[in-house]
Amino acid sequence: MPSYTGPTDDLQFVIHDVLDVPAQDVPGYSDLDRDFTAAILGEAARISTEVIAPLNAIGDQHGVSLENGVVRTPPGFKKAFDQLREGGWTGLDCDPDYGGQGMPYILSVATGEMFSAANQAFMMYPGLTHGAYSAIHAHGSDGQKAMFLPKMVSCEWTGTMNLTEPQCGTDLGLMRSKAVPQEDGSYSITGTKIFISAGDHDMADNVIHLVLAKIPGGPDGIKGVSLFIVPKFIVKDDGTLGDLNGVSVGKVEEKMGIHGNATCVMNYDGSTGYLLGDAHKGMRAMFTMMNEARLGVGMQGLSQAVAAYQNAVIYARERLQGRDVTGVKNPDGPADPIIVHPDVRRMLMDQKSFIEGARAFGLWGSTMIDRARATGDEEAEAMISLLTPVLKGFLTDQGYDMTVQAQQIFGGHGYIEEQGMSQFTRDARITMIYEGANGVQALDLVGRKLGLKGGKTALAFFDLIKSFCKDNAGDAEIDAQFIEPLKASSKQLQEAAMFFMQSGMKNPNHALAGSYDFMHLFGHVCLGYMWSRMAVAAKSKLEEGTGDAAFYKTKLVTGRYYMSRRLPATAMHLQRILSGADPVMALDEDQF
Amino acid sequence: MPSYTGPTDDLQFVIHDVLDVPAQDVPGYSDLDRDFTAAILGEAARISTEVIAPLNAIGDQHGVSLENGVVRTPPGFKKAFDQLREGGWTGLDCDPDYGGQGMPYILSVATGEMFSAANQAFMMYPGLTHGAYSAIHAHGSDGQKAMFLPKMVSCEWTGTMNLTEPQCGTDLGLMRSKAVPQEDGSYSITGTKIFISAGDHDMADNVIHLVLAKIPGGPDGIKGVSLFIVPKFIVKDDGTLGDLNGVSVGKVEEKMGIHGNATCVMNYDGSTGYLLGDAHKGMRAMFTMMNEARLGVGMQGLSQAVAAYQNAVIYARERLQGRDVTGVKNPDGPADPIIVHPDVRRMLMDQKSFIEGARAFGLWGSTMIDRARATGDEEAEAMISLLTPVLKGFLTDQGYDMTVQAQQIFGGHGYIEEQGMSQFTRDARITMIYEGANGVQALDLVGRKLGLKGGKTALAFFDLIKSFCKDNAGDAEIDAQFIEPLKASSKQLQEAAMFFMQSGMKNPNHALAGSYDFMHLFGHVCLGYMWSRMAVAAKSKLEEGTGDAAFYKTKLVTGRYYMSRRLPATAMHLQRILSGADPVMALDEDQF
């Protein structure tokens, strides 16, 4: 069975040596000194390894079942969920007014990477709850907040997000669910929602559904969509639970992966719902938490890559097969461990260099969310909005590929379920789809985010890289191995953006046909930037002579791999982009 | 549930318009006129659609089970297997002396693509049998051939290949299975083999296992391995079946996919085996059928991409979501079909341009096998040996990626099992692993095949492309869109090969660290070459004014897509290769 170890040293490196979080002028950050974060991360790592990870394969094998209308979770899930609750982990970054720990979001992301790596399907129950908490916290009335938030922070009640319907996925304007106003100010909700993660289960007393629906007579399409709180059990004024609220599970889906999470068809049949935020402004309410939710899914993609990688390393060290062509390494054994083989190394280095770069990218993004949240900084908000589709799309696409590669290292043993490597792949696959399929992320990036503030945010990103390159030039090794390739890739990204601006005016399809490549080009530049920052930090630590020299040297070697072996993908993406819409759109529809 | 339609028009195009098979001086080819191949392909397509494809999801859902020592196949498998047998499909290219149809191998590959696309797990039963047939046909004594081949050609008895043991996968020298000579000239076989596809089942009267084992006292390692025929039931001299032969199924593996095929742990306990070929020359016997077997797996990778693509096209035409940004296409509907969106188009074009290029590549390769088989042509044998790792590695890697992309077009509907898109991905995944994991293919390519005949075969490949470019220059459109990019990519491939030659002498790891990228670079050049040949053929047909003009125009458009959007990957692979072994090998083993 696979194992998992929380990468606390690497998280500490990024938080302190690279981002120097405690020194940033964001409220709450000054408390995050090295010892404090070490304590939090260490405990989260322990829970991940000891409590959550052992349930990962169990969840995959048992899955969930629908019994008499209630979803049963796999053996052990409830007990582990209790431990997560009791430790206060479900409310780590939540508002202390409602029982949260009030910690910065970055700690939630750092611990979340570990929890999710240990068991993605399990962590979706508190994960979805956190999303619903954020929506109610941002848009709820005082009464709604008082009624729902304390129980959701503690996960005594969990939450869900209900957007999709059979005929309506990305295009939410096609929604049919109806919300009819009642005399008491509530709404009667009727409709069917599909793909509702954590839609029902036996680990909490109530499930608080956030449901998008249309109030009859409102504007057509997406502009007429409102958001409602629909509890599974009516909550009485004294906070106790009343009757079932016409909410039922129509079906639990059989899926490729995340078997431990209940993906439900939810039927609402005249259910009582409470308008959350303004009528017809449901999409706006959803958007406020979209950056967080999407960054969270990006981190899930990364987390599966981490778990898969760790097990691939163990296997590559233990599995004896063939001999090192440059000289036998294990003369007393029947063969050398496969980690000696260059192509196995290539796979491990691909994974390692992606993982550490992506981790830094996710944590860097989290600092922007903390800044925007705590100070209302508009530039931070704009920058994370620009980067969010990249974080979601690039990290999940690449994260998935890395799980496939980790599985490959096991050969045939990776294909049988017994070893657990297949599960990482099957679980990671959903991250490319949910919370906006990655093609939609690319569309969001090119269609909306690139033009944010008239393009100023994109320019600010390029300036950031330019300044970094300028400020850190001078060290011959860093220049050649990091700064120069970073500059070149950033220039390619600018060239692509320029092409979109110029050709997109003639035909928007020129930009749309290149959007996916642009997202990946952007992702590589971000990881190149992260690796350059990590290299500078590692080098400076080495020169200071403090800390673990082997760790910092490894950073430089791993970063060099990324810059020389992964970053060259940018030129290919640019070339594809510059070929424009023509090759993509030239075929008649009936010729496919 | 997914559907499948055999791509007979495209197969005909490649066989006749591109390769002009009937005109090639290969025995048997002159019979393959257009009407004849149309009849064969049409009937194979019908069986694929009507008989085999409907069992694909059933096989996935039911899987196989071990009951009282016998493997039970999914409902419907036996009846379909009977139909395949009765139609003579299992012996299509087999020796007429043993009941085969004696058709050229290329027809087996063309029909096999369709059968495998319809149901990969099911087709592995006759597929493995064909492999065992080939080995016995090539190396068996007259008595062995007479005893086993007729029943294997008809698939009354099926076959298996037993190589892997728990401690021994790629490195077959670590084998522990023993073959002790008996007084009657047979051997007593004892050992455990794992991952034995089609290891047992209820669709045939006997299973003929080909088992690699060591005769005690023979040479150490791989040089002491011999190949044995070990029937499940002893075959008596009169051809009837006798006792069980100490062969038992230890376990049926739970796998990520190909659930309909029994992947068995096989235990041999003093089983009677008959030496096939010479003692200690088992590996040589295996190698003789390796090109075919690996090309076959490459075609499996392609076939899953085809099946997934066809269903993605149907979905993209039916699913209404969003509007074409350049103008509404379906004004009477609530939204436009998603095939209007450029990023959906990109995914479909990626798939289509891969599929058609790969199909041509596989069929081109088959002509070399036919030529080598029928005429003993050493150059054809060498060329297919060079191309085999590319066919296997590139087609399965890319084929898998294409199934992932097809699944992506379905969004959330692609992740639930109900739609069947997950199965294509899960089934395709094994093709990257079995019959030599793709990293091993890359090693074979760079370590052995590139130096075949002192490098003359590789040079012959480059000459082939050079001649083609020269012979077909002159048409401005073809030059710009096909010949020039092909030339450039072929030059990059040569540069990479040159780098290996020069740097590999200093350190073999320089070549090994770039082997995987080299395999992909090579694959792209092959598909670029195929697309250029197809473009020339299509253009010539258009100029002649014969045939289906829309079909030929579509070819040119699809080819142009490949050349401008897919082929640019070659530069990236070259750049990675040229970075050498250093970034790959620099890390200490304990720093992963």
Side-chain angles (χ1 to χ4, degrees), chain B residues 364 368 383 387 457-472 486 490 529-530 533:
Chain B
W364 179 50
M368 295 172 210
M383 186 61 78
L387 296 179
T457 309
L459 284 178
F461 175 82
F462 291 121
D463 282 346
L464 206 61
I465 291 189
K466 210 184 287 175
S467 306
F468 171 84
C469 291
K470 213 171 126 189
D471 296 348
N472 291 282
L486 173 61
S490 172
Y529 175 50
M530 289 297 110
R533 288 184 65 169

PDB file of all heavy atoms in Angstrom, chain B residues 364 368 383 387 457-472 486 490 529-530 533:
ATOM      1  N   TRP B 364       2.220   1.123 -42.928  1.00  0.00           N
ATOM      2  CA  TRP B 364       3.509   1.176 -43.621  1.00  0.00           C
ATOM      3  C   TRP B 364       4.468   0.168 -42.988  1.00  0.00           C
ATOM      4  O   TRP B 364       5.130  -0.616 -43.679  1.00  0.00           O
ATOM      5  CB  TRP B 364       4.058   2.607 -43.564  1.00  0.00           C
ATOM      6  CG  TRP B 364       5.385   2.797 -44.208  1.00  0.00           C
ATOM      7  CD1 TRP B 364       5.751   2.397 -45.457  1.00  0.00           C
ATOM      8  CD2 TRP B 364       6.538   3.445 -43.631  1.00  0.00           C
ATOM      9  NE1 TRP B 364       7.056   2.759 -45.699  1.00  0.00           N
ATOM     10  CE2 TRP B 364       7.564   3.406 -44.598  1.00  0.00           C
ATOM     11  CE3 TRP B 364       6.780   4.069 -42.395  1.00  0.00           C
ATOM     12  CZ2 TRP B 364       8.831   3.968 -44.371  1.00  0.00           C
ATOM     13  CZ3 TRP B 364       8.036   4.623 -42.170  1.00  0.00           C
ATOM     14  CH2 TRP B 364       9.043   4.564 -43.148  1.00  0.00           C
ATOM     15  N   MET B 368       6.542  -3.724 -44.309  1.00  0.00           N
ATOM     16  CA  MET B 368       7.932  -4.182 -44.127  1.00  0.00           C
ATOM     17  C   MET B 368       7.949  -5.581 -43.528  1.00  0.00           C
ATOM     18  O   MET B 368       8.791  -6.408 -43.888  1.00  0.00           O
ATOM     19  CB  MET B 368       8.682  -3.235 -43.190  1.00  0.00           C
ATOM     20  CG  MET B 368       8.835  -1.842 -43.766  1.00  0.00           C
ATOM     21  SD  MET B 368       9.520  -0.729 -42.522  1.00  0.00           S
ATOM     22  CE  MET B 368       8.785   0.812 -43.052  1.00  0.00           C
ATOM     23  N   MET B 383      14.719  -2.265 -41.217  1.00  0.00           N
ATOM     24  CA  MET B 383      13.948  -1.017 -41.092  1.00  0.00           C
ATOM     25  C   MET B 383      12.814  -1.179 -40.091  1.00  0.00           C
ATOM     26  O   MET B 383      12.598  -0.311 -39.253  1.00  0.00           O
ATOM     27  CB  MET B 383      13.408  -0.598 -42.473  1.00  0.00           C
ATOM     28  CG  MET B 383      12.724   0.755 -42.485  1.00  0.00           C
ATOM     29  SD  MET B 383      13.802   2.127 -42.011  1.00  0.00           S
ATOM     30  CE  MET B 383      14.720   2.359 -43.519  1.00  0.00           C
ATOM     31  N   LEU B 387      12.130   0.778 -36.571  1.00  0.00           N
ATOM     32  CA  LEU B 387      10.898   1.537 -36.329  1.00  0.00           C
ATOM     33  C   LEU B 387      10.005   0.931 -35.242  1.00  0.00           C
ATOM     34  O   LEU B 387       9.129   1.622 -34.698  1.00  0.00           O
ATOM     35  CB  LEU B 387      10.095   1.659 -37.630  1.00  0.00           C
ATOM     36  CG  LEU B 387      10.773   2.450 -38.759  1.00  0.00           C
ATOM     37  CD1 LEU B 387       9.875   2.466 -39.996  1.00  0.00           C
ATOM     38  CD2 LEU B 387      11.108   3.870 -38.321  1.00  0.00           C
ATOM     39  N   THR B 457      20.949   1.375 -41.198  1.00  0.00           N
ATOM     40  CA  THR B 457      19.484   1.383 -41.270  1.00  0.00           C
ATOM     41  C   THR B 457      18.932   2.766 -40.944  1.00  0.00           C
ATOM     42  O   THR B 457      18.017   3.260 -41.608  1.00  0.00           O
ATOM     43  CB  THR B 457      18.910   0.323 -40.311  1.00  0.00           C
ATOM     44  OG1 THR B 457      19.558  -0.926 -40.569  1.00  0.00           O
ATOM     45  CG2 THR B 457      17.421   0.164 -40.511  1.00  0.00           C
ATOM     46  N   ALA B 458      19.532   3.391 -39.933  1.00  0.00           N
ATOM     47  CA  ALA B 458      19.105   4.761 -39.603  1.00  0.00           C
ATOM     48  C   ALA B 458      19.375   5.689 -40.781  1.00  0.00           C
ATOM     49  O   ALA B 458      18.527   6.528 -41.134  1.00  0.00           O
ATOM     50  CB  ALA B 458      19.836   5.243 -38.349  1.00  0.00           C
ATOM     51  N   LEU B 459      20.540   5.521 -41.396  1.00  0.00           N
ATOM     52  CA  LEU B 459      20.852   6.353 -42.572  1.00  0.00           C
ATOM     53  C   LEU B 459      19.841   6.092 -43.696  1.00  0.00           C
ATOM     54  O   LEU B 459      19.418   7.034 -44.389  1.00  0.00           O
ATOM     55  CB  LEU B 459      22.271   6.070 -43.069  1.00  0.00           C
ATOM     56  CG  LEU B 459      23.379   6.688 -42.229  1.00  0.00           C
ATOM     57  CD1 LEU B 459      24.751   6.299 -42.801  1.00  0.00           C
ATOM     58  CD2 LEU B 459      23.249   8.215 -42.158  1.00  0.00           C
ATOM     59  N   ALA B 460      19.458   4.831 -43.859  1.00  0.00           N
ATOM     60  CA  ALA B 460      18.482   4.504 -44.901  1.00  0.00           C
ATOM     61  C   ALA B 460      17.153   5.207 -44.637  1.00  0.00           C
ATOM     62  O   ALA B 460      16.467   5.643 -45.563  1.00  0.00           O
ATOM     63  CB  ALA B 460      18.283   2.992 -44.972  1.00  0.00           C
ATOM     64  N   PHE B 461      16.803   5.313 -43.355  1.00  0.00           N
ATOM     65  CA  PHE B 461      15.565   6.025 -43.016  1.00  0.00           C
ATOM     66  C   PHE B 461      15.660   7.495 -43.437  1.00  0.00           C
ATOM     67  O   PHE B 461      14.749   8.046 -44.054  1.00  0.00           O
ATOM     68  CB  PHE B 461      15.288   5.917 -41.514  1.00  0.00           C
ATOM     69  CG  PHE B 461      14.100   6.721 -41.065  1.00  0.00           C
ATOM     70  CD1 PHE B 461      12.815   6.217 -41.211  1.00  0.00           C
ATOM     71  CD2 PHE B 461      14.254   7.997 -40.528  1.00  0.00           C
ATOM     72  CE1 PHE B 461      11.707   6.961 -40.823  1.00  0.00           C
ATOM     73  CE2 PHE B 461      13.152   8.744 -40.131  1.00  0.00           C
ATOM     74  CZ  PHE B 461      11.883   8.225 -40.271  1.00  0.00           C
ATOM     75  N   PHE B 462      16.789   8.106 -43.103  1.00  0.00           N
ATOM     76  CA  PHE B 462      16.945   9.520 -43.476  1.00  0.00           C
ATOM     77  C   PHE B 462      16.969   9.691 -44.990  1.00  0.00           C
ATOM     78  O   PHE B 462      16.428  10.662 -45.521  1.00  0.00           O
ATOM     79  CB  PHE B 462      18.213  10.097 -42.830  1.00  0.00           C
ATOM     80  CG  PHE B 462      18.105  10.216 -41.339  1.00  0.00           C
ATOM     81  CD1 PHE B 462      18.997   9.571 -40.494  1.00  0.00           C
ATOM     82  CD2 PHE B 462      17.101  10.980 -40.769  1.00  0.00           C
ATOM     83  CE1 PHE B 462      18.887   9.688 -39.108  1.00  0.00           C
ATOM     84  CE2 PHE B 462      16.971  11.095 -39.390  1.00  0.00           C
ATOM     85  CZ  PHE B 462      17.873  10.447 -38.556  1.00  0.00           C
ATOM     86  N   ASP B 463      17.573   8.734 -45.672  1.00  0.00           N
ATOM     87  CA  ASP B 463      17.610   8.792 -47.144  1.00  0.00           C
ATOM     88  C   ASP B 463      16.212   8.691 -47.749  1.00  0.00           C
ATOM     89  O   ASP B 463      15.896   9.354 -48.736  1.00  0.00           O
ATOM     90  CB  ASP B 463      18.482   7.654 -47.697  1.00  0.00           C
ATOM     91  CG  ASP B 463      19.956   7.980 -47.566  1.00  0.00           C
ATOM     92  OD1 ASP B 463      20.282   9.168 -47.311  1.00  0.00           O
ATOM     93  OD2 ASP B 463      20.793   7.060 -47.682  1.00  0.00           O
ATOM     94  N   LEU B 464      15.427   7.840 -47.117  1.00  0.00           N
ATOM     95  CA  LEU B 464      14.040   7.667 -47.556  1.00  0.00           C
ATOM     96  C   LEU B 464      13.309   9.009 -47.545  1.00  0.00           C
ATOM     97  O   LEU B 464      12.589   9.373 -48.490  1.00  0.00           O
ATOM     98  CB  LEU B 464      13.365   6.720 -46.560  1.00  0.00           C
ATOM     99  CG  LEU B 464      12.196   5.877 -46.966  1.00  0.00           C
ATOM    100  CD1 LEU B 464      12.598   4.944 -48.096  1.00  0.00           C
ATOM    101  CD2 LEU B 464      11.758   5.047 -45.756  1.00  0.00           C
ATOM    102  N   ILE B 465      13.487   9.720 -46.464  1.00  0.00           N
ATOM    103  CA  ILE B 465      12.798  11.004 -46.319  1.00  0.00           C
ATOM    104  C   ILE B 465      13.384  12.021 -47.299  1.00  0.00           C
ATOM    105  O   ILE B 465      12.656  12.782 -47.948  1.00  0.00           O
ATOM    106  CB  ILE B 465      12.893  11.497 -44.865  1.00  0.00           C
ATOM    107  CG1 ILE B 465      12.032  10.570 -44.008  1.00  0.00           C
ATOM    108  CG2 ILE B 465      12.470  12.950 -44.731  1.00  0.00           C
ATOM    109  CD1 ILE B 465      11.830  10.996 -42.607  1.00  0.00           C
ATOM    110  N   LYS B 466      14.698  11.989 -47.410  1.00  0.00           N
ATOM    111  CA  LYS B 466      15.350  12.917 -48.335  1.00  0.00           C
ATOM    112  C   LYS B 466      14.851  12.683 -49.761  1.00  0.00           C
ATOM    113  O   LYS B 466      14.487  13.632 -50.466  1.00  0.00           O
ATOM    114  CB  LYS B 466      16.871  12.725 -48.257  1.00  0.00           C
ATOM    115  CG  LYS B 466      17.643  13.994 -48.546  1.00  0.00           C
ATOM    116  CD  LYS B 466      19.152  13.752 -48.562  1.00  0.00           C
ATOM    117  CE  LYS B 466      19.732  13.535 -47.176  1.00  0.00           C
ATOM    118  NZ  LYS B 466      21.175  13.186 -47.196  1.00  0.00           N
ATOM    119  N   SER B 467      14.812  11.429 -50.173  1.00  0.00           N
ATOM    120  CA  SER B 467      14.343  11.107 -51.533  1.00  0.00           C
ATOM    121  C   SER B 467      12.906  11.544 -51.726  1.00  0.00           C
ATOM    122  O   SER B 467      12.545  12.107 -52.750  1.00  0.00           O
ATOM    123  CB  SER B 467      14.408   9.601 -51.791  1.00  0.00           C
ATOM    124  OG  SER B 467      15.678   9.131 -51.536  1.00  0.00           O
ATOM    125  N   PHE B 468      12.098  11.261 -50.718  1.00  0.00           N
ATOM    126  CA  PHE B 468      10.690  11.644 -50.828  1.00  0.00           C
ATOM    127  C   PHE B 468      10.568  13.155 -51.030  1.00  0.00           C
ATOM    128  O   PHE B 468       9.813  13.624 -51.877  1.00  0.00           O
ATOM    129  CB  PHE B 468       9.917  11.218 -49.571  1.00  0.00           C
ATOM    130  CG  PHE B 468       8.533  11.778 -49.525  1.00  0.00           C
ATOM    131  CD1 PHE B 468       7.492  11.128 -50.188  1.00  0.00           C
ATOM    132  CD2 PHE B 468       8.257  12.975 -48.869  1.00  0.00           C
ATOM    133  CE1 PHE B 468       6.215  11.658 -50.178  1.00  0.00           C
ATOM    134  CE2 PHE B 468       6.987  13.508 -48.851  1.00  0.00           C
ATOM    135  CZ  PHE B 468       5.959  12.849 -49.507  1.00  0.00           C
ATOM    136  N   CYS B 469      11.322  13.903 -50.234  1.00  0.00           N
ATOM    137  CA  CYS B 469      11.235  15.366 -50.316  1.00  0.00           C
ATOM    138  C   CYS B 469      11.678  15.850 -51.696  1.00  0.00           C
ATOM    139  O   CYS B 469      11.073  16.766 -52.265  1.00  0.00           O
ATOM    140  CB  CYS B 469      12.087  16.021 -49.230  1.00  0.00           C
ATOM    141  SG  CYS B 469      11.418  15.760 -47.568  1.00  0.00           S
ATOM    142  N   LYS B 470      12.724  15.229 -52.187  1.00  0.00           N
ATOM    143  CA  LYS B 470      13.245  15.615 -53.497  1.00  0.00           C
ATOM    144  C   LYS B 470      12.228  15.265 -54.593  1.00  0.00           C
ATOM    145  O   LYS B 470      11.886  16.101 -55.440  1.00  0.00           O
ATOM    146  CB  LYS B 470      14.554  14.866 -53.763  1.00  0.00           C
ATOM    147  CG  LYS B 470      15.562  15.653 -54.583  1.00  0.00           C
ATOM    148  CD  LYS B 470      16.888  14.918 -54.599  1.00  0.00           C
ATOM    149  CE  LYS B 470      17.360  14.702 -56.019  1.00  0.00           C
ATOM    150  NZ  LYS B 470      18.533  13.819 -56.085  1.00  0.00           N
ATOM    151  N   ASP B 471      11.726  14.058 -54.534  1.00  0.00           N
ATOM    152  CA  ASP B 471      10.818  13.585 -55.580  1.00  0.00           C
ATOM    153  C   ASP B 471       9.503  14.340 -55.616  1.00  0.00           C
ATOM    154  O   ASP B 471       8.810  14.340 -56.631  1.00  0.00           O
ATOM    155  CB  ASP B 471      10.499  12.091 -55.382  1.00  0.00           C
ATOM    156  CG  ASP B 471      11.740  11.224 -55.536  1.00  0.00           C
ATOM    157  OD1 ASP B 471      12.769  11.755 -56.019  1.00  0.00           O
ATOM    158  OD2 ASP B 471      11.701  10.040 -55.161  1.00  0.00           O
ATOM    159  N   ASN B 472       9.133  14.911 -54.486  1.00  0.00           N
ATOM    160  CA  ASN B 472       7.809  15.524 -54.423  1.00  0.00           C
ATOM    161  C   ASN B 472       7.845  17.037 -54.279  1.00  0.00           C
ATOM    162  O   ASN B 472       6.830  17.660 -53.971  1.00  0.00           O
ATOM    163  CB  ASN B 472       6.994  14.888 -53.294  1.00  0.00           C
ATOM    164  CG  ASN B 472       6.644  13.458 -53.612  1.00  0.00           C
ATOM    165  OD1 ASN B 472       5.726  13.194 -54.386  1.00  0.00           O
ATOM    166  ND2 ASN B 472       7.416  12.521 -53.071  1.00  0.00           N
ATOM    167  N   LEU B 486       8.801  18.854 -42.799  1.00  0.00           N
ATOM    168  CA  LEU B 486       9.320  17.482 -42.686  1.00  0.00           C
ATOM    169  C   LEU B 486      10.846  17.481 -42.739  1.00  0.00           C
ATOM    170  O   LEU B 486      11.511  16.829 -41.926  1.00  0.00           O
ATOM    171  CB  LEU B 486       8.738  16.604 -43.809  1.00  0.00           C
ATOM    172  CG  LEU B 486       9.320  15.182 -43.912  1.00  0.00           C
ATOM    173  CD1 LEU B 486       9.065  14.382 -42.634  1.00  0.00           C
ATOM    174  CD2 LEU B 486       8.736  14.442 -45.123  1.00  0.00           C
ATOM    175  N   SER B 490      13.271  16.241 -39.755  1.00  0.00           N
ATOM    176  CA  SER B 490      14.185  15.134 -40.007  1.00  0.00           C
ATOM    177  C   SER B 490      15.621  15.551 -39.693  1.00  0.00           C
ATOM    178  O   SER B 490      16.424  14.778 -39.158  1.00  0.00           O
ATOM    179  CB  SER B 490      14.043  14.684 -41.466  1.00  0.00           C
ATOM    180  OG  SER B 490      15.017  13.743 -41.795  1.00  0.00           O
ATOM    181  N   TYR B 529       6.270  12.385 -41.933  1.00  0.00           N
ATOM    182  CA  TYR B 529       6.533  11.711 -43.219  1.00  0.00           C
ATOM    183  C   TYR B 529       5.240  11.088 -43.753  1.00  0.00           C
ATOM    184  O   TYR B 529       4.893  11.227 -44.934  1.00  0.00           O
ATOM    185  CB  TYR B 529       7.621  10.661 -43.012  1.00  0.00           C
ATOM    186  CG  TYR B 529       7.923   9.788 -44.204  1.00  0.00           C
ATOM    187  CD1 TYR B 529       8.159  10.330 -45.470  1.00  0.00           C
ATOM    188  CD2 TYR B 529       7.990   8.401 -44.056  1.00  0.00           C
ATOM    189  CE1 TYR B 529       8.439   9.504 -46.562  1.00  0.00           C
ATOM    190  CE2 TYR B 529       8.274   7.577 -45.139  1.00  0.00           C
ATOM    191  CZ  TYR B 529       8.488   8.138 -46.389  1.00  0.00           C
ATOM    192  OH  TYR B 529       8.757   7.328 -47.462  1.00  0.00           O
ATOM    193  N   MET B 530       4.507  10.420 -42.896  1.00  0.00           N
ATOM    194  CA  MET B 530       3.239   9.804 -43.315  1.00  0.00           C
ATOM    195  C   MET B 530       2.264  10.869 -43.811  1.00  0.00           C
ATOM    196  O   MET B 530       1.604  10.699 -44.839  1.00  0.00           O
ATOM    197  CB  MET B 530       2.606   9.046 -42.133  1.00  0.00           C
ATOM    198  CG  MET B 530       3.322   7.779 -41.748  1.00  0.00           C
ATOM    199  SD  MET B 530       3.294   6.546 -43.075  1.00  0.00           S
ATOM    200  CE  MET B 530       5.000   6.561 -43.569  1.00  0.00           C
ATOM    201  N   ARG B 533       3.274  12.067 -47.194  1.00  0.00           N
ATOM    202  CA  ARG B 533       2.897  11.097 -48.228  1.00  0.00           C
ATOM    203  C   ARG B 533       1.389  11.137 -48.468  1.00  0.00           C
ATOM    204  O   ARG B 533       0.926  11.056 -49.616  1.00  0.00           O
ATOM    205  CB  ARG B 533       3.333   9.684 -47.826  1.00  0.00           C
ATOM    206  CG  ARG B 533       4.839   9.488 -47.911  1.00  0.00           C
ATOM    207  CD  ARG B 533       5.258   8.067 -47.615  1.00  0.00           C
ATOM    208  NE  ARG B 533       4.748   7.120 -48.612  1.00  0.00           N
ATOM    209  CZ  ARG B 533       5.150   5.849 -48.694  1.00  0.00           C
ATOM    210  NH1 ARG B 533       6.056   5.391 -47.853  1.00  0.00           N
ATOM    211  NH2 ARG B 533       4.641   5.042 -49.603  1.00  0.00           N
TER     212      ARG B 533
END
